[in-house]
Amino acid sequence: MEERTERKQHKRKKQRKKKRFRKLLLFFLILVIAAGAYVYYQYQQGLAEADGAFGKDGQFDFNGASANLDSMNVLLLGIDSRGEEHSRADTIMIAHYDKDSNQPKIVSLMRDSYVDIPGHGKNKLNSAYAFGGPELMRKTIKENFGVDVNYYAVVDFKGFSKVADTIAPEGITVTVPHEMSSGIGMTLKPGKQTLRGDKLLGYVRFRHDSQSDFGRVKRQQEVIGKLMDEALQVKTLAKAPKLWGVIDPYVDTNIPPKTFIVIGKDFLVGNQPDLKSLRLPVEGSYSNERISGIGAVLSIDLEENKQALQSFLN
């Protein structure tokens, strides 16, 4: 009799455990579905706010060196085509990721650097994109500076304002050194101020002063560093799906989604130091010249800048 009672009690316990397990499983399933719905909704909301030029990723042929997930170089190209099919690159950068050092690095290459472009002779560096897209820019950088890149990302400047406002809706605080107006379609007054959207874009694109492109590159690196800091804040991470929806139509890249996830995880769990930056050509390694048929260029000491780049990345 007692043995029969024990069997019944044991059976009821097993049934209760099964019910609890099914409830727990159902709860997690609901969470996954809800999270998926949230991500999809936020992504679609971001897409609805965008009007970019790129319908899909990987539109360009690119033969960069194979990369592992421990270290890689990404070629970042900022363009403002304004309807042109073969525009020059406005901004040329190399973003470097290294898992061991956990140190984010970015290199800005001056677009007027006078270099050898494979198959096209000597010209300004930014014309490589017009002649042959990201692949020819990759070849040009490798031939002149001895560094290969693994992936590319072409960014349409039309999306910069929306991306910046999604990452930092309160704006980015900068110090405008003097009045800026020529070539940016607005007037920025001097002084410390918080800029959003088109005004922030005007700040990073202005170049009609004594510093020309040198000042612009410095401001670009400044703003990228501040946007990175904002992007890693918890309040911004909650908007990540929407942010990607906003960015996606303005960016064409061949970086695999898995790589994005791994790098993003490392940035989130690691203690990230401040962004380290380099500008090429380095100070004292160039002179201003004017070439017939090409215009004003930076004649650079290739060997000195090649060593500076390799030392910085390694």
Side-chain angles (χ1 to χ4, degrees), residues 110-301:
M110 301 293 288
R111 63 182 193 168
D112 288 341
S113 299
Y114 195 50
V115 296
D116 286 304
I117 299 178
H120 297 271
K122 297 203 73 170
N123 210 318
K124 294 182 181 182
L125 177 61
N126 69 338
S127 63
Y129 180 79
F131 293 148
E135 172 62 7
L136 185 56
M137 183 66 78
R138 179 195 70 81
K139 289 180 178 178
T140 301
I141 292 172
K142 184 176 181 181
E143 178 173 309
N144 289 273
F145 302 105
V147 168
D148 203 358
V149 292
N150 312 106
Y151 302 111
Y152 76 85
V154 178
V155 183
D156 187 340
F157 271 128
K158 287 191 297 183
F160 177 86
S161 304
K162 291 179 180 177
V163 171
D165 284 347
T166 304
I167 295 176
E170 303 301 320
I172 296 293
T173 300
V174 299
T175 299
V176 181
H178 50 72
E179 184 175 293
M180 298 178 174
S181 58
S182 180
I184 60 174
M186 67 189 75
T187 298
L188 300 178
K189 297 297 183 180
K192 187 175 182 179
Q193 51 196 290
T194 301
L195 302 179
R196 298 179 66 253
D198 290 339
K199 289 187 176 181
L200 188 62
L201 176 60
Y203 175 75
V204 300
R205 298 200 69 190
F206 179 78
R207 65 187 185 96
H208 294 281
D209 61 6
S210 60
Q211 290 189 308
S212 187
D213 265 354
F214 291 92
R216 186 173 74 155
V217 164
K218 184 178 179 181
R219 289 190 293 276
Q220 286 175 350
Q221 292 183 341
E222 172 199 6
V223 170
I224 287 174
K226 290 181 177 180
L227 285 174
M228 275 186 61
D229 291 341
E230 285 289 331
L232 293 174
Q233 299 296 316
V234 174
K235 61 182 180 181
T236 308
L237 293 174
K239 299 181 293 185
K242 181 180 179 181
L243 176 61
W244 186 245
V246 172
I247 293 174
D248 202 8
Y250 299 104
V251 178
D252 178 18
T253 181
N254 67 338
I255 302 175
K258 177 185 175 183
T259 302
F260 270 122
I261 293 171
V262 172
I263 294 176
K265 175 181 66 66
D266 288 348
F267 270 89
L268 290 177
V269 301
N271 182 22
Q272 292 298 323
D274 291 337
L275 179 69
K276 196 173 180 180
S277 61
L278 174 72
R279 186 210 70 207
L280 291 186
V282 295
E283 203 63 45
S285 70
Y286 64 91
S287 61
N288 293 292
E289 292 187 16
R290 182 166 290 277
I291 307 296
S292 178
I294 294 177
V297 302
L298 296 175
S299 180
I300 68 176
D301 184 328

